[in-house]
Amino acid sequence: MVSRKKAKGKARKESKVKANAKVEECDAFKPFSSLQFNKSSCTHGWTHDEYADNHDCHKFVVAVLEEFRRTTTVSDTFHAANDATREKYPNIWKDPTQLEWIASAFVSIGVEVLVQGDNNDGRRFLVVSSVTFSEWIHQHVAFALHKYVPAMYSARLNELIHADNRRIISYLRKRIPCSCLNVHYNVVKHLPKKGVCCFPDCSHPSRKVELSKMWSCGSCRREHYCSETCQAAEWSCHREDCKVWSEWEATEDADSP
């Protein structure tokens, strides 16, 4: 029979192991304070010193990263990040300039994780979450604040959530002014370009298909499918969005000189 003293010692040791694991897990999601970027480091286009370290914009980024750590799927990060920041930072959600700065922060985070080269599952989750959240913020600014577009472009968000390394690296490389991802892009550029079928029950592995073989919705041109079968199966869900985008496209074409 184990003595009470030994049992307490064992419990403390297990607690310490769990605490250390928690710190390591947390550190994997929080290596991106402005202190990391010294004068000789590349920030990948993010002007991190535009706001003081104690500004709400920095706190917003940390709060979102914490939600990334808590959630288990990329699609859940939007709801979790939204819930964690909407009430606490309402003014930021109304300010396109601050939101674009935050979007740039998450592009920088995604690039920095890739540059560090530790490509484990946790790091990949952080990259994909950062990329998708940055895109989501851009779309929110365009749709909710500037009213440039009639709806969120959910098909693109869905594509990024399920994207492969080639798509993620290509997406990030186009959004940074530096050459930090050139080596990574050279490694993956020979791989076939793949898209994600918009039908959730698509039978292809991970719903991925070579981009050249995909079908696009003929009306809105926003949704993409692996086949006419998947397109037809998804039509009842896509119908309303298709109408919104198609009418907007028609208006844009009519207003064009």
Side-chain angles (χ1 to χ4, degrees), residues 146-249:
H146 290 319
K147 313 294 184 185
Y148 290 156
V149 292
M152 297 286 281
Y153 190 0
S154 57
R156 176 168 292 170
L157 293 171
N158 176 66
E159 177 200 3
L160 290 173
I161 288 172
H162 300 284
D164 57 17
N165 284 343
R166 189 193 193 286
R167 176 70 173 111
I168 290 294
I169 291 171
S170 179
Y171 179 95
L172 287 171
R173 183 169 171 265
K174 292 176 181 176
R175 286 161 177 80
I176 57 175
C178 57
S179 58
C180 291
L181 286 182
N182 284 0
V183 172
H184 294 74
Y185 181 70
N186 287 336
V187 172
V188 299
K189 67 180 182 181
H190 69 283
L191 299 174
K193 294 182 180 179
K194 290 190 175 182
V196 177
C197 180
C198 286
F199 181 48
D201 295 326
C202 173
S203 60
H204 284 88
S206 302
R207 295 157 50 193
K208 289 185 176 71
V209 163
E210 284 193 36
L211 207 56
S212 60
K213 298 179 180 179
M214 296 193 76
W215 297 69
S216 296
C217 176
S219 296
C220 70
R221 301 191 293 274
R222 288 296 190 286
E223 299 254 322
H224 311 285
Y225 304 91
C226 67
S227 64
E228 287 183 290
T229 302
C230 279
Q231 184 176 8
E234 179 66 3
W235 174 242
S236 60
C237 295
H238 174 53
R239 182 186 289 112
E240 290 303 317
D241 276 351
C242 184
K243 181 180 179 182
V244 169
W245 282 106
S246 297
E247 290 178 351
W248 178 78
E249 289 280 3

Side-chain angles (χ1 to χ4, degrees), residues 44-219:
H44 319 299
W46 176 38
T47 54
H48 65 87
D49 55 356
E50 184 174 341
Y51 299 103
D53 288 347
N54 62 349
H55 192 277
D56 279 351
C57 280
H58 284 279
K59 295 176 182 177
F60 187 109
V61 171
V62 171
V64 173
L65 285 172
E66 178 63 19
E67 294 309 314
F68 287 179
R69 187 183 68 81
R70 293 177 188 274
T71 53
T72 56
T73 64
V74 177
S75 56
D76 288 341
T77 60
F78 303 122
H79 303 293
N82 182 72
D83 292 343
T85 57
R86 281 282 181 177
E87 291 187 7
K88 197 169 184 179
Y89 307 108
N91 291 332
I92 290 180
W93 279 106
K94 299 174 185 176
D95 189 325
T97 301
Q98 292 186 3
L99 285 175
E100 292 292 358
W101 181 90
I102 290 168
S104 178
F106 282 99
V107 165
S108 179
I109 288 170
V111 173
E112 189 64 19
V113 174
L114 288 172
V115 168
Q116 288 176 6
D118 185 10
N119 192 26
N120 57 38
D121 290 342
R123 291 281 173 161
R124 174 168 171 75
F125 180 85
L126 178 53
V127 173
V128 176
S129 295
S130 298
V131 167
T132 313
F133 188 70
S134 176
E135 174 65 27
W136 186 60
I137 289 179
H138 282 308
Q139 291 193 27
H140 169 80
V141 170
F143 167 57
L145 301 184
H146 290 319
K147 313 294 184 185
Y148 290 156
V149 292
M152 297 286 281
Y153 190 0
S154 57
R156 176 168 292 170
L157 293 171
N158 176 66
E159 177 200 3
L160 290 173
I161 288 172
H162 300 284
D164 57 17
N165 284 343
R166 189 193 193 286
R167 176 70 173 111
I168 290 294
I169 291 171
S170 179
Y171 179 95
L172 287 171
R173 183 169 171 265
K174 292 176 181 176
R175 286 161 177 80
I176 57 175
C178 57
S179 58
C180 291
L181 286 182
N182 284 0
V183 172
H184 294 74
Y185 181 70
N186 287 336
V187 172
V188 299
K189 67 180 182 181
H190 69 283
L191 299 174
K193 294 182 180 179
K194 290 190 175 182
V196 177
C197 180
C198 286
F199 181 48
D201 295 326
C202 173
S203 60
H204 284 88
S206 302
R207 295 157 50 193
K208 289 185 176 71
V209 163
E210 284 193 36
L211 207 56
S212 60
K213 298 179 180 179
M214 296 193 76
W215 297 69
S216 296
C217 176
S219 296

